[in-house]
Amino acid sequence: QSALTQPASVSGSPGQSITISCTGTSSDVGSYSLVSWYLQHPGKAPKLMIYEVTKRPSGVSIRFSGSKSGNTASLTISGLQAEDEADYYCSSYAGTSTLVFGGGTKLTVL
Amino acid sequence: EVQLVESGGGLVQPGRSLRLSCAASGFTFDDYTMHWVRQAPGKGLEWVSGISWNSVSIGYADSVKGRFTISRDNAKNSLYLQMNSLRDEDTALYYCAKGEYSYMDVWGQGTTVTVSS
């Protein structure tokens, strides 16, 4: 159970698009279409943004989208807004009823 | 309104035990997988354990396997985490979360566990 690899930080200007990568292995991301993404504002509980690679829960903006290729999953946020500034975490099912998170990415909206 | 309220956190000495509880309301508890996720101060999220609706499927992170035990009481709409042989590195905010076996769609506000002598 090694943590998934995410960039420590990304940044973008309002209105731009950014992509956060999440790299795992053939034992987790590469084997299952079960990647999820969470947003966490400081001092708050995480919020589910994407599940099962591409699905958006009710109420999540269509500006958020997910994809996967091989052992790497990605979260794309289009039309960046100030409120998107937060920490983002990916997670993947890793078999035998276990999950693994990424180390987190701090998104800064310039 | 879907709500998860954790309790049972506190200050405990290394090697001692603690039991966390999570009270669920606003949804059909026994329809969902439940998880515990923790976050050490200033650090990222770490999945700790998950349990299926019928307690048949249970998983643990390697870091807690053999020390922590997850359980649930569907009649009481409650989730538990028995933590034994606690270590300094178990110090964290512990979240209870509802979801499916591969994701968490509702989170509580967390309960803080501090392991220190």
Side-chain angles (χ1 to χ4, degrees), chain A residues 1 38 40 44-46 48 51 89 97-99 101, chain B residues 39 44 47 59-62 101 103-104 107-108:
Chain A
Q1 294 175 356
Y38 304 86
Q40 185 180 36
K44 300 295 186 181
L48 178 67
Y51 66 101
Y89 296 90
S97 303
T98 65
L99 300 179
F101 275 101
Chain B
Q39 188 167 32
W47 178 81
Y60 297 97
D62 287 344
Y101 71 98
Y103 64 88
M104 290 72 76
W107 298 62

mmCIF file with all atom_site columns, all heavy atoms in Angstrom, chain A residues 1 38 40 44-46 48 51 89 97-99 101, chain B residues 39 44 47 59-62 101 103-104 107-108:
data_model
loop_
_atom_site.group_PDB
_atom_site.id
_atom_site.type_symbol
_atom_site.label_atom_id
_atom_site.label_alt_id
_atom_site.label_comp_id
_atom_site.label_asym_id
_atom_site.label_entity_id
_atom_site.label_seq_id
_atom_site.pdbx_PDB_ins_code
_atom_site.Cartn_x
_atom_site.Cartn_y
_atom_site.Cartn_z
_atom_site.occupancy
_atom_site.B_iso_or_equiv
_atom_site.pdbx_formal_charge
_atom_site.auth_seq_id
_atom_site.auth_comp_id
_atom_site.auth_asym_id
_atom_site.auth_atom_id
_atom_site.pdbx_PDB_model_num
ATOM 1   N N   . GLN A 1 1   ? 0.815   -1.198 0.000   1.00 0.00 ? 1   GLN A N   1
ATOM 2   C CA  . GLN A 1 1   ? 0.000   0.000  0.000   1.00 0.00 ? 1   GLN A CA  1
ATOM 3   C C   . GLN A 1 1   ? 0.848   1.248  0.000   1.00 0.00 ? 1   GLN A C   1
ATOM 4   O O   . GLN A 1 1   ? 0.996   1.932  1.022   1.00 0.00 ? 1   GLN A O   1
ATOM 5   C CB  . GLN A 1 1   ? -0.931  0.023  1.202   1.00 0.00 ? 1   GLN A CB  1
ATOM 6   C CG  . GLN A 1 1   ? -1.999  -1.055 1.210   1.00 0.00 ? 1   GLN A CG  1
ATOM 7   C CD  . GLN A 1 1   ? -2.794  -1.040 2.505   1.00 0.00 ? 1   GLN A CD  1
ATOM 8   O OE1 . GLN A 1 1   ? -2.512  -0.270 3.434   1.00 0.00 ? 1   GLN A OE1 1
ATOM 9   N NE2 . GLN A 1 1   ? -3.764  -1.926 2.618   1.00 0.00 ? 1   GLN A NE2 1
ATOM 10  N N   . TYR A 1 38  ? -11.015 14.186 -4.217  1.00 0.00 ? 38  TYR A N   1
ATOM 11  C CA  . TYR A 1 38  ? -11.593 14.934 -3.113  1.00 0.00 ? 38  TYR A CA  1
ATOM 12  C C   . TYR A 1 38  ? -10.962 16.313 -3.044  1.00 0.00 ? 38  TYR A C   1
ATOM 13  O O   . TYR A 1 38  ? -9.772  16.480 -3.282  1.00 0.00 ? 38  TYR A O   1
ATOM 14  C CB  . TYR A 1 38  ? -11.371 14.201 -1.782  1.00 0.00 ? 38  TYR A CB  1
ATOM 15  C CG  . TYR A 1 38  ? -11.927 12.793 -1.808  1.00 0.00 ? 38  TYR A CG  1
ATOM 16  C CD1 . TYR A 1 38  ? -11.168 11.740 -2.302  1.00 0.00 ? 38  TYR A CD1 1
ATOM 17  C CD2 . TYR A 1 38  ? -13.211 12.527 -1.359  1.00 0.00 ? 38  TYR A CD2 1
ATOM 18  C CE1 . TYR A 1 38  ? -11.680 10.456 -2.363  1.00 0.00 ? 38  TYR A CE1 1
ATOM 19  C CE2 . TYR A 1 38  ? -13.741 11.243 -1.406  1.00 0.00 ? 38  TYR A CE2 1
ATOM 20  C CZ  . TYR A 1 38  ? -12.962 10.213 -1.915  1.00 0.00 ? 38  TYR A CZ  1
ATOM 21  O OH  . TYR A 1 38  ? -13.472 8.944  -1.975  1.00 0.00 ? 38  TYR A OH  1
ATOM 22  N N   . GLN A 1 40  ? -10.410 19.588 -0.415  1.00 0.00 ? 40  GLN A N   1
ATOM 23  C CA  . GLN A 1 40  ? -10.442 19.931 1.000   1.00 0.00 ? 40  GLN A CA  1
ATOM 24  C C   . GLN A 1 40  ? -9.993  21.372 1.192   1.00 0.00 ? 40  GLN A C   1
ATOM 25  O O   . GLN A 1 40  ? -8.845  21.709 0.896   1.00 0.00 ? 40  GLN A O   1
ATOM 26  C CB  . GLN A 1 40  ? -9.557  18.983 1.823   1.00 0.00 ? 40  GLN A CB  1
ATOM 27  C CG  . GLN A 1 40  ? -9.667  19.226 3.322   1.00 0.00 ? 40  GLN A CG  1
ATOM 28  C CD  . GLN A 1 40  ? -8.799  18.296 4.149   1.00 0.00 ? 40  GLN A CD  1
ATOM 29  O OE1 . GLN A 1 40  ? -7.696  17.934 3.763   1.00 0.00 ? 40  GLN A OE1 1
ATOM 30  N NE2 . GLN A 1 40  ? -9.309  17.891 5.312   1.00 0.00 ? 40  GLN A NE2 1
ATOM 31  N N   . LYS A 1 44  ? -11.580 22.158 6.909   1.00 0.00 ? 44  LYS A N   1
ATOM 32  C CA  . LYS A 1 44  ? -12.869 21.546 6.565   1.00 0.00 ? 44  LYS A CA  1
ATOM 33  C C   . LYS A 1 44  ? -12.695 20.064 6.238   1.00 0.00 ? 44  LYS A C   1
ATOM 34  O O   . LYS A 1 44  ? -11.597 19.602 5.954   1.00 0.00 ? 44  LYS A O   1
ATOM 35  C CB  . LYS A 1 44  ? -13.487 22.260 5.360   1.00 0.00 ? 44  LYS A CB  1
ATOM 36  C CG  . LYS A 1 44  ? -13.757 23.735 5.583   1.00 0.00 ? 44  LYS A CG  1
ATOM 37  C CD  . LYS A 1 44  ? -14.791 23.966 6.645   1.00 0.00 ? 44  LYS A CD  1
ATOM 38  C CE  . LYS A 1 44  ? -15.163 25.434 6.751   1.00 0.00 ? 44  LYS A CE  1
ATOM 39  N NZ  . LYS A 1 44  ? -16.169 25.673 7.831   1.00 0.00 ? 44  LYS A NZ  1
ATOM 40  N N   . ALA A 1 45  ? -13.816 19.341 6.274   1.00 0.00 ? 45  ALA A N   1
ATOM 41  C CA  . ALA A 1 45  ? -13.792 17.944 5.877   1.00 0.00 ? 45  ALA A CA  1
ATOM 42  C C   . ALA A 1 45  ? -13.670 17.846 4.357   1.00 0.00 ? 45  ALA A C   1
ATOM 43  O O   . ALA A 1 45  ? -14.098 18.742 3.631   1.00 0.00 ? 45  ALA A O   1
ATOM 44  C CB  . ALA A 1 45  ? -15.065 17.240 6.341   1.00 0.00 ? 45  ALA A CB  1
ATOM 45  N N   . PRO A 1 46  ? -13.077 16.771 3.869   1.00 0.00 ? 46  PRO A N   1
ATOM 46  C CA  . PRO A 1 46  ? -12.988 16.584 2.415   1.00 0.00 ? 46  PRO A CA  1
ATOM 47  C C   . PRO A 1 46  ? -14.367 16.479 1.778   1.00 0.00 ? 46  PRO A C   1
ATOM 48  O O   . PRO A 1 46  ? -15.341 16.103 2.427   1.00 0.00 ? 46  PRO A O   1
ATOM 49  C CB  . PRO A 1 46  ? -12.230 15.265 2.283   1.00 0.00 ? 46  PRO A CB  1
ATOM 50  C CG  . PRO A 1 46  ? -11.484 15.124 3.560   1.00 0.00 ? 46  PRO A CG  1
ATOM 51  C CD  . PRO A 1 46  ? -12.384 15.705 4.606   1.00 0.00 ? 46  PRO A CD  1
ATOM 52  N N   . LEU A 1 48  ? -16.229 14.922 -1.834  1.00 0.00 ? 48  LEU A N   1
ATOM 53  C CA  . LEU A 1 48  ? -16.092 14.088 -3.036  1.00 0.00 ? 48  LEU A CA  1
ATOM 54  C C   . LEU A 1 48  ? -16.407 14.900 -4.287  1.00 0.00 ? 48  LEU A C   1
ATOM 55  O O   . LEU A 1 48  ? -17.474 15.510 -4.380  1.00 0.00 ? 48  LEU A O   1
ATOM 56  C CB  . LEU A 1 48  ? -17.037 12.890 -2.945  1.00 0.00 ? 48  LEU A CB  1
ATOM 57  C CG  . LEU A 1 48  ? -17.049 11.933 -4.144  1.00 0.00 ? 48  LEU A CG  1
ATOM 58  C CD1 . LEU A 1 48  ? -15.708 11.197 -4.268  1.00 0.00 ? 48  LEU A CD1 1
ATOM 59  C CD2 . LEU A 1 48  ? -18.202 10.940 -4.015  1.00 0.00 ? 48  LEU A CD2 1
ATOM 60  N N   . TYR A 1 51  ? -15.904 10.294 -8.757  1.00 0.00 ? 51  TYR A N   1
ATOM 61  C CA  . TYR A 1 51  ? -15.763 8.909  -8.337  1.00 0.00 ? 51  TYR A CA  1
ATOM 62  C C   . TYR A 1 51  ? -15.798 8.000  -9.571  1.00 0.00 ? 51  TYR A C   1
ATOM 63  O O   . TYR A 1 51  ? -16.299 8.398  -10.629 1.00 0.00 ? 51  TYR A O   1
ATOM 64  C CB  . TYR A 1 51  ? -16.823 8.516  -7.308  1.00 0.00 ? 51  TYR A CB  1
ATOM 65  C CG  . TYR A 1 51  ? -18.249 8.506  -7.836  1.00 0.00 ? 51  TYR A CG  1
ATOM 66  C CD1 . TYR A 1 51  ? -18.873 7.316  -8.180  1.00 0.00 ? 51  TYR A CD1 1
ATOM 67  C CD2 . TYR A 1 51  ? -18.974 9.691  -7.962  1.00 0.00 ? 51  TYR A CD2 1
ATOM 68  C CE1 . TYR A 1 51  ? -20.179 7.307  -8.644  1.00 0.00 ? 51  TYR A CE1 1
ATOM 69  C CE2 . TYR A 1 51  ? -20.273 9.690  -8.429  1.00 0.00 ? 51  TYR A CE2 1
ATOM 70  C CZ  . TYR A 1 51  ? -20.884 8.504  -8.764  1.00 0.00 ? 51  TYR A CZ  1
ATOM 71  O OH  . TYR A 1 51  ? -22.172 8.498  -9.231  1.00 0.00 ? 51  TYR A OH  1
ATOM 72  N N   . TYR A 1 89  ? -7.062  15.610 -3.354  1.00 0.00 ? 89  TYR A N   1
ATOM 73  C CA  . TYR A 1 89  ? -6.523  14.269 -3.115  1.00 0.00 ? 89  TYR A CA  1
ATOM 74  C C   . TYR A 1 89  ? -7.175  13.277 -4.064  1.00 0.00 ? 89  TYR A C   1
ATOM 75  O O   . TYR A 1 89  ? -8.397  13.298 -4.254  1.00 0.00 ? 89  TYR A O   1
ATOM 76  C CB  . TYR A 1 89  ? -6.811  13.817 -1.684  1.00 0.00 ? 89  TYR A CB  1
ATOM 77  C CG  . TYR A 1 89  ? -6.130  14.647 -0.623  1.00 0.00 ? 89  TYR A CG  1
ATOM 78  C CD1 . TYR A 1 89  ? -6.758  15.761 -0.077  1.00 0.00 ? 89  TYR A CD1 1
ATOM 79  C CD2 . TYR A 1 89  ? -4.859  14.310 -0.155  1.00 0.00 ? 89  TYR A CD2 1
ATOM 80  C CE1 . TYR A 1 89  ? -6.140  16.512 0.905   1.00 0.00 ? 89  TYR A CE1 1
ATOM 81  C CE2 . TYR A 1 89  ? -4.237  15.068 0.817   1.00 0.00 ? 89  TYR A CE2 1
ATOM 82  C CZ  . TYR A 1 89  ? -4.882  16.162 1.338   1.00 0.00 ? 89  TYR A CZ  1
ATOM 83  O OH  . TYR A 1 89  ? -4.268  16.912 2.305   1.00 0.00 ? 89  TYR A OH  1
ATOM 84  N N   . SER A 1 97  ? -10.437 -5.063 -0.477  1.00 0.00 ? 97  SER A N   1
ATOM 85  C CA  . SER A 1 97  ? -11.161 -4.127 0.386   1.00 0.00 ? 97  SER A CA  1
ATOM 86  C C   . SER A 1 97  ? -10.294 -3.007 0.939   1.00 0.00 ? 97  SER A C   1
ATOM 87  O O   . SER A 1 97  ? -10.544 -2.513 2.049   1.00 0.00 ? 97  SER A O   1
ATOM 88  C CB  . SER A 1 97  ? -11.849 -4.874 1.541   1.00 0.00 ? 97  SER A CB  1
ATOM 89  O OG  . SER A 1 97  ? -12.725 -5.856 1.049   1.00 0.00 ? 97  SER A OG  1
ATOM 90  N N   . THR A 1 98  ? -9.264  -2.620 0.221   1.00 0.00 ? 98  THR A N   1
ATOM 91  C CA  . THR A 1 98  ? -8.397  -1.526 0.681   1.00 0.00 ? 98  THR A CA  1
ATOM 92  C C   . THR A 1 98  ? -8.404  -0.366 -0.315  1.00 0.00 ? 98  THR A C   1
ATOM 93  O O   . THR A 1 98  ? -8.639  -0.549 -1.508  1.00 0.00 ? 98  THR A O   1
ATOM 94  C CB  . THR A 1 98  ? -6.952  -1.980 0.893   1.00 0.00 ? 98  THR A CB  1
ATOM 95  O OG1 . THR A 1 98  ? -6.392  -2.371 -0.369  1.00 0.00 ? 98  THR A OG1 1
ATOM 96  C CG2 . THR A 1 98  ? -6.868  -3.145 1.862   1.00 0.00 ? 98  THR A CG2 1
ATOM 97  N N   . LEU A 1 99  ? -8.155  0.811  0.211   1.00 0.00 ? 99  LEU A N   1
ATOM 98  C CA  . LEU A 1 99  ? -8.039  2.029  -0.580  1.00 0.00 ? 99  LEU A CA  1
ATOM 99  C C   . LEU A 1 99  ? -6.697  2.681  -0.287  1.00 0.00 ? 99  LEU A C   1
ATOM 100 O O   . LEU A 1 99  ? -6.083  2.439  0.758   1.00 0.00 ? 99  LEU A O   1
ATOM 101 C CB  . LEU A 1 99  ? -9.157  3.018  -0.228  1.00 0.00 ? 99  LEU A CB  1
ATOM 102 C CG  . LEU A 1 99  ? -10.607 2.579  -0.438  1.00 0.00 ? 99  LEU A CG  1
ATOM 103 C CD1 . LEU A 1 99  ? -11.555 3.692  -0.012  1.00 0.00 ? 99  LEU A CD1 1
ATOM 104 C CD2 . LEU A 1 99  ? -10.848 2.193  -1.874  1.00 0.00 ? 99  LEU A CD2 1
ATOM 105 N N   . PHE A 1 101 ? -4.709  6.660  -0.774  1.00 0.00 ? 101 PHE A N   1
ATOM 106 C CA  . PHE A 1 101 ? -4.791  8.059  -1.171  1.00 0.00 ? 101 PHE A CA  1
ATOM 107 C C   . PHE A 1 101 ? -3.480  8.522  -1.791  1.00 0.00 ? 101 PHE A C   1
ATOM 108 O O   . PHE A 1 101 ? -2.412  7.936  -1.551  1.00 0.00 ? 101 PHE A O   1
ATOM 109 C CB  . PHE A 1 101 ? -5.066  8.942  0.053   1.00 0.00 ? 101 PHE A CB  1
ATOM 110 C CG  . PHE A 1 101 ? -6.505  9.063  0.422   1.00 0.00 ? 101 PHE A CG  1
ATOM 111 C CD1 . PHE A 1 101 ? -7.032  8.314  1.466   1.00 0.00 ? 101 PHE A CD1 1
ATOM 112 C CD2 . PHE A 1 101 ? -7.357  9.936  -0.245  1.00 0.00 ? 101 PHE A CD2 1
ATOM 113 C CE1 . PHE A 1 101 ? -8.368  8.424  1.826   1.00 0.00 ? 101 PHE A CE1 1
ATOM 114 C CE2 . PHE A 1 101 ? -8.687  10.059 0.106   1.00 0.00 ? 101 PHE A CE2 1
ATOM 115 C CZ  . PHE A 1 101 ? -9.191  9.295  1.145   1.00 0.00 ? 101 PHE A CZ  1
ATOM 116 N N   . GLN B 2 39  ? -6.089  12.100 9.285   1.00 0.00 ? 39  GLN B N   1
ATOM 117 C CA  . GLN B 2 39  ? -5.225  13.158 8.762   1.00 0.00 ? 39  GLN B CA  1
ATOM 118 C C   . GLN B 2 39  ? -4.363  13.673 9.895   1.00 0.00 ? 39  GLN B C   1
ATOM 119 O O   . GLN B 2 39  ? -4.859  14.320 10.819  1.00 0.00 ? 39  GLN B O   1
ATOM 120 C CB  . GLN B 2 39  ? -6.072  14.285 8.171   1.00 0.00 ? 39  GLN B CB  1
ATOM 121 C CG  . GLN B 2 39  ? -5.274  15.335 7.436   1.00 0.00 ? 39  GLN B CG  1
ATOM 122 C CD  . GLN B 2 39  ? -6.160  16.261 6.612   1.00 0.00 ? 39  GLN B CD  1
ATOM 123 O OE1 . GLN B 2 39  ? -7.301  16.552 6.970   1.00 0.00 ? 39  GLN B OE1 1
ATOM 124 N NE2 . GLN B 2 39  ? -5.639  16.735 5.486   1.00 0.00 ? 39  GLN B NE2 1
ATOM 125 N N   . GLY B 2 44  ? -1.459  14.871 4.750   1.00 0.00 ? 44  GLY B N   1
ATOM 126 C CA  . GLY B 2 44  ? -2.537  14.487 3.860   1.00 0.00 ? 44  GLY B CA  1
ATOM 127 C C   . GLY B 2 44  ? -3.470  13.448 4.448   1.00 0.00 ? 44  GLY B C   1
ATOM 128 O O   . GLY B 2 44  ? -3.318  13.022 5.592   1.00 0.00 ? 44  GLY B O   1
ATOM 129 N N   . TRP B 2 47  ? -6.275  6.664  4.300   1.00 0.00 ? 47  TRP B N   1
ATOM 130 C CA  . TRP B 2 47  ? -7.353  5.711  4.533   1.00 0.00 ? 47  TRP B CA  1
ATOM 131 C C   . TRP B 2 47  ? -6.912  4.728  5.611   1.00 0.00 ? 47  TRP B C   1
ATOM 132 O O   . TRP B 2 47  ? -5.789  4.208  5.573   1.00 0.00 ? 47  TRP B O   1
ATOM 133 C CB  . TRP B 2 47  ? -7.677  4.979  3.240   1.00 0.00 ? 47  TRP B CB  1
ATOM 134 C CG  . TRP B 2 47  ? -8.745  3.948  3.366   1.00 0.00 ? 47  TRP B CG  1
ATOM 135 C CD1 . TRP B 2 47  ? -10.095 4.166  3.359   1.00 0.00 ? 47  TRP B CD1 1
ATOM 136 C CD2 . TRP B 2 47  ? -8.563  2.548  3.536   1.00 0.00 ? 47  TRP B CD2 1
ATOM 137 N NE1 . TRP B 2 47  ? -10.770 2.972  3.506   1.00 0.00 ? 47  TRP B NE1 1
ATOM 138 C CE2 . TRP B 2 47  ? -9.848  1.964  3.608   1.00 0.00 ? 47  TRP B CE2 1
ATOM 139 C CE3 . TRP B 2 47  ? -7.456  1.711  3.618   1.00 0.00 ? 47  TRP B CE3 1
ATOM 140 C CZ2 . TRP B 2 47  ? -10.044 0.586  3.774   1.00 0.00 ? 47  TRP B CZ2 1
ATOM 141 C CZ3 . TRP B 2 47  ? -7.640  0.351  3.776   1.00 0.00 ? 47  TRP B CZ3 1
ATOM 142 C CH2 . TRP B 2 47  ? -8.929  -0.196 3.857   1.00 0.00 ? 47  TRP B CH2 1
ATOM 143 N N   . GLY B 2 59  ? -11.396 -4.109 5.358   1.00 0.00 ? 59  GLY B N   1
ATOM 144 C CA  . GLY B 2 59  ? -10.015 -3.878 4.957   1.00 0.00 ? 59  GLY B CA  1
ATOM 145 C C   . GLY B 2 59  ? -9.327  -2.898 5.896   1.00 0.00 ? 59  GLY B C   1
ATOM 146 O O   . GLY B 2 59  ? -9.987  -2.063 6.525   1.00 0.00 ? 59  GLY B O   1
ATOM 147 N N   . TYR B 2 60  ? -8.008  -3.029 5.974   1.00 0.00 ? 60  TYR B N   1
ATOM 148 C CA  . TYR B 2 60  ? -7.209  -2.152 6.827   1.00 0.00 ? 60  TYR B CA  1
ATOM 149 C C   . TYR B 2 60  ? -5.973  -1.683 6.067   1.00 0.00 ? 60  TYR B C   1
ATOM 150 O O   . TYR B 2 60  ? -5.407  -2.412 5.240   1.00 0.00 ? 60  TYR B O   1
ATOM 151 C CB  . TYR B 2 60  ? -6.732  -2.887 8.087   1.00 0.00 ? 60  TYR B CB  1
ATOM 152 C CG  . TYR B 2 60  ? -7.833  -3.346 8.997   1.00 0.00 ? 60  TYR B CG  1
ATOM 153 C CD1 . TYR B 2 60  ? -8.303  -4.652 8.949   1.00 0.00 ? 60  TYR B CD1 1
ATOM 154 C CD2 . TYR B 2 60  ? -8.408  -2.473 9.930   1.00 0.00 ? 60  TYR B CD2 1
ATOM 155 C CE1 . TYR B 2 60  ? -9.322  -5.084 9.784   1.00 0.00 ? 60  TYR B CE1 1
ATOM 156 C CE2 . TYR B 2 60  ? -9.422  -2.899 10.772  1.00 0.00 ? 60  TYR B CE2 1
ATOM 157 C CZ  . TYR B 2 60  ? -9.879  -4.203 10.680  1.00 0.00 ? 60  TYR B CZ  1
ATOM 158 O OH  . TYR B 2 60  ? -10.891 -4.628 11.510  1.00 0.00 ? 60  TYR B OH  1
ATOM 159 N N   . ALA B 2 61  ? -5.533  -0.483 6.398   1.00 0.00 ? 61  ALA B N   1
ATOM 160 C CA  . ALA B 2 61  ? -4.239  -0.026 5.925   1.00 0.00 ? 61  ALA B CA  1
ATOM 161 C C   . ALA B 2 61  ? -3.156  -0.844 6.619   1.00 0.00 ? 61  ALA B C   1
ATOM 162 O O   . ALA B 2 61  ? -3.329  -1.265 7.773   1.00 0.00 ? 61  ALA B O   1
ATOM 163 C CB  . ALA B 2 61  ? -4.054  1.457  6.234   1.00 0.00 ? 61  ALA B CB  1
ATOM 164 N N   . ASP B 2 62  ? -2.052  -1.062 5.930   1.00 0.00 ? 62  ASP B N   1
ATOM 165 C CA  . ASP B 2 62  ? -0.950  -1.835 6.521   1.00 0.00 ? 62  ASP B CA  1
ATOM 166 C C   . ASP B 2 62  ? -0.481  -1.204 7.834   1.00 0.00 ? 62  ASP B C   1
ATOM 167 O O   . ASP B 2 62  ? -0.062  -1.915 8.753   1.00 0.00 ? 62  ASP B O   1
ATOM 168 C CB  . ASP B 2 62  ? 0.222   -1.906 5.541   1.00 0.00 ? 62  ASP B CB  1
ATOM 169 C CG  . ASP B 2 62  ? -0.049  -2.839 4.372   1.00 0.00 ? 62  ASP B CG  1
ATOM 170 O OD1 . ASP B 2 62  ? -0.999  -3.656 4.461   1.00 0.00 ? 62  ASP B OD1 1
ATOM 171 O OD2 . ASP B 2 62  ? 0.683   -2.746 3.362   1.00 0.00 ? 62  ASP B OD2 1
ATOM 172 N N   . TYR B 2 101 ? -17.562 0.879  -1.621  1.00 0.00 ? 101 TYR B N   1
ATOM 173 C CA  . TYR B 2 101 ? -16.278 0.288  -1.233  1.00 0.00 ? 101 TYR B CA  1
ATOM 174 C C   . TYR B 2 101 ? -15.087 1.010  -1.827  1.00 0.00 ? 101 TYR B C   1
ATOM 175 O O   . TYR B 2 101 ? -13.966 0.882  -1.335  1.00 0.00 ? 101 TYR B O   1
ATOM 176 C CB  . TYR B 2 101 ? -16.242 -1.195 -1.581  1.00 0.00 ? 101 TYR B CB  1
ATOM 177 C CG  . TYR B 2 101 ? -16.152 -1.524 -3.052  1.00 0.00 ? 101 TYR B CG  1
ATOM 178 C CD1 . TYR B 2 101 ? -14.929 -1.821 -3.626  1.00 0.00 ? 101 TYR B CD1 1
ATOM 179 C CD2 . TYR B 2 101 ? -17.276 -1.566 -3.841  1.00 0.00 ? 101 TYR B CD2 1
ATOM 180 C CE1 . TYR B 2 101 ? -14.830 -2.140 -4.967  1.00 0.00 ? 101 TYR B CE1 1
ATOM 181 C CE2 . TYR B 2 101 ? -17.205 -1.878 -5.182  1.00 0.00 ? 101 TYR B CE2 1
ATOM 182 C CZ  . TYR B 2 101 ? -15.969 -2.172 -5.749  1.00 0.00 ? 101 TYR B CZ  1
ATOM 183 O OH  . TYR B 2 101 ? -15.884 -2.481 -7.082  1.00 0.00 ? 101 TYR B OH  1
ATOM 184 N N   . TYR B 2 103 ? -15.141 4.592  -2.633  1.00 0.00 ? 103 TYR B N   1
ATOM 185 C CA  . TYR B 2 103 ? -15.117 6.036  -2.410  1.00 0.00 ? 103 TYR B CA  1
ATOM 186 C C   . TYR B 2 103 ? -15.983 6.405  -1.215  1.00 0.00 ? 103 TYR B C   1
ATOM 187 O O   . TYR B 2 103 ? -16.753 5.610  -0.710  1.00 0.00 ? 103 TYR B O   1
ATOM 188 C CB  . TYR B 2 103 ? -15.585 6.790  -3.664  1.00 0.00 ? 103 TYR B CB  1
ATOM 189 C CG  . TYR B 2 103 ? -17.017 6.544  -4.070  1.00 0.00 ? 103 TYR B CG  1
ATOM 190 C CD1 . TYR B 2 103 ? -18.062 7.301  -3.551  1.00 0.00 ? 103 TYR B CD1 1
ATOM 191 C CD2 . TYR B 2 103 ? -17.323 5.549  -5.001  1.00 0.00 ? 103 TYR B CD2 1
ATOM 192 C CE1 . TYR B 2 103 ? -19.369 7.069  -3.929  1.00 0.00 ? 103 TYR B CE1 1
ATOM 193 C CE2 . TYR B 2 103 ? -18.631 5.318  -5.391  1.00 0.00 ? 103 TYR B CE2 1
ATOM 194 C CZ  . TYR B 2 103 ? -19.651 6.072  -4.858  1.00 0.00 ? 103 TYR B CZ  1
ATOM 195 O OH  . TYR B 2 103 ? -20.953 5.840  -5.236  1.00 0.00 ? 103 TYR B OH  1
ATOM 196 N N   . MET B 2 104 ? -15.807 7.695  -0.774  1.00 0.00 ? 104 MET B N   1
ATOM 197 C CA  . MET B 2 104 ? -16.537 8.219  0.375   1.00 0.00 ? 104 MET B CA  1
ATOM 198 C C   . MET B 2 104 ? -17.294 9.464  -0.067  1.00 0.00 ? 104 MET B C   1
ATOM 199 O O   . MET B 2 104 ? -16.672 10.418 -0.526  1.00 0.00 ? 104 MET B O   1
ATOM 200 C CB  . MET B 2 104 ? -15.538 8.611  1.474   1.00 0.00 ? 104 MET B CB  1
ATOM 201 C CG  . MET B 2 104 ? -14.833 7.453  2.163   1.00 0.00 ? 104 MET B CG  1
ATOM 202 S SD  . MET B 2 104 ? -13.581 6.609  1.174   1.00 0.00 ? 104 MET B SD  1
ATOM 203 C CE  . MET B 2 104 ? -12.255 7.778  1.243   1.00 0.00 ? 104 MET B CE  1
ATOM 204 N N   . TRP B 2 107 ? -18.775 12.925 4.677   1.00 0.00 ? 107 TRP B N   1
ATOM 205 C CA  . TRP B 2 107 ? -17.761 12.867 5.726   1.00 0.00 ? 107 TRP B CA  1
ATOM 206 C C   . TRP B 2 107 ? -18.269 13.570 6.983   1.00 0.00 ? 107 TRP B C   1
ATOM 207 O O   . TRP B 2 107 ? -19.004 14.555 6.907   1.00 0.00 ? 107 TRP B O   1
ATOM 208 C CB  . TRP B 2 107 ? -16.486 13.584 5.267   1.00 0.00 ? 107 TRP B CB  1
ATOM 209 C CG  . TRP B 2 107 ? -15.816 12.990 4.071   1.00 0.00 ? 107 TRP B CG  1
ATOM 210 C CD1 . TRP B 2 107 ? -16.335 12.868 2.809   1.00 0.00 ? 107 TRP B CD1 1
ATOM 211 C CD2 . TRP B 2 107 ? -14.498 12.455 4.010   1.00 0.00 ? 107 TRP B CD2 1
ATOM 212 N NE1 . TRP B 2 107 ? -15.409 12.283 1.966   1.00 0.00 ? 107 TRP B NE1 1
ATOM 213 C CE2 . TRP B 2 107 ? -14.274 12.025 2.683   1.00 0.00 ? 107 TRP B CE2 1
ATOM 214 C CE3 . TRP B 2 107 ? -13.467 12.302 4.948   1.00 0.00 ? 107 TRP B CE3 1
ATOM 215 C CZ2 . TRP B 2 107 ? -13.066 11.442 2.269   1.00 0.00 ? 107 TRP B CZ2 1
ATOM 216 C CZ3 . TRP B 2 107 ? -12.270 11.727 4.536   1.00 0.00 ? 107 TRP B CZ3 1
ATOM 217 C CH2 . TRP B 2 107 ? -12.084 11.304 3.213   1.00 0.00 ? 107 TRP B CH2 1
ATOM 218 N N   . GLY B 2 108 ? -17.825 13.068 8.129   1.00 0.00 ? 108 GLY B N   1
ATOM 219 C CA  . GLY B 2 108 ? -18.072 13.776 9.369   1.00 0.00 ? 108 GLY B CA  1
ATOM 220 C C   . GLY B 2 108 ? -17.064 14.895 9.546   1.00 0.00 ? 108 GLY B C   1
ATOM 221 O O   . GLY B 2 108 ? -16.252 15.159 8.653   1.00 0.00 ? 108 GLY B O   1
#
